[in-house]
Amino acid sequence: QMQLAESGGGLVQAGGSLRLSCVASDNTFRDYCMGWFRQAPGKERELVASISWSGGSTYYVDDVRGRFTISRDNAKYTVYLQMNSLKPEDTAVYFCAAGTTQGDVIKGAVDIWGKGTLVTVSS
């Protein structure tokens, strides 16, 4: 099965920016809708953003809309999450995931997950 690997996390001050990357292991990546999720300590995993297989349709949760941008480069088997104006409440482990439909991704009803990358935003 296709595997996913996230990178780009780190420590940043509030107001700063990070770009997360998620690289898939093979070219079936282009057939999947993709999503970014995050999980803060003591909280459940939650959706951040999703993107269709072509990149033509995106979805963001209210907390990140206008600050985060999801994109993909199918030629590079990669989905990105550009995070601007970061806030301490954005601190979490960020995961990427692949699903058949955007509905599945938004619900978290997917079988393919990365292992996560930690984003820490200091105040």
Side-chain angles (χ1 to χ4, degrees):
Q1 188 172 65
M2 184 179 72
Q3 296 180 329
L4 303 173
E6 303 96 335
S7 63
L11 175 64
V12 64
Q13 290 186 332
S17 298
L18 286 173
R19 188 180 75 161
L20 306 183
S21 299
C22 174
V23 180
S25 61
D26 60 66
N27 64 6
T28 61
F29 169 83
R30 66 176 63 248
D31 298 328
Y32 288 93
C33 299
M34 300 295 299
W36 284 98
F37 295 76
R38 65 187 180 186
Q39 187 168 25
K43 295 185 178 181
E44 295 184 353
R45 187 175 300 184
E46 64 177 359
L47 176 73
V48 177
S50 66
I51 189 167
S52 63
W53 67 268
S54 67
S57 179
T58 58
Y59 172 84
Y60 301 91
V61 295
D62 290 344
D63 288 347
V64 309
R65 188 176 293 110
R67 298 190 298 121
F68 292 8
T69 302
I70 188 171
S71 62
R72 67 191 297 165
D73 186 339
N74 286 344
K76 296 181 178 179
Y77 310 163
T78 303
V79 62
Y80 304 96
L81 186 68
Q82 178 67 47
M83 304 185 295
N84 298 325
S85 301
L86 283 162
K87 303 175 181 179
E89 51 263 45
D90 295 318
T91 296
V93 176
Y94 284 71
F95 301 86
C96 65
T100 303
T101 68
Q102 282 213 84
D104 286 341
V105 172
I106 291 170
K107 296 174 183 177
V110 299
D111 294 327
I112 304 175
W113 295 86
K115 294 182 178 180
T117 185
L118 177 63
V119 172
T120 303
V121 184
S122 65
S123 60

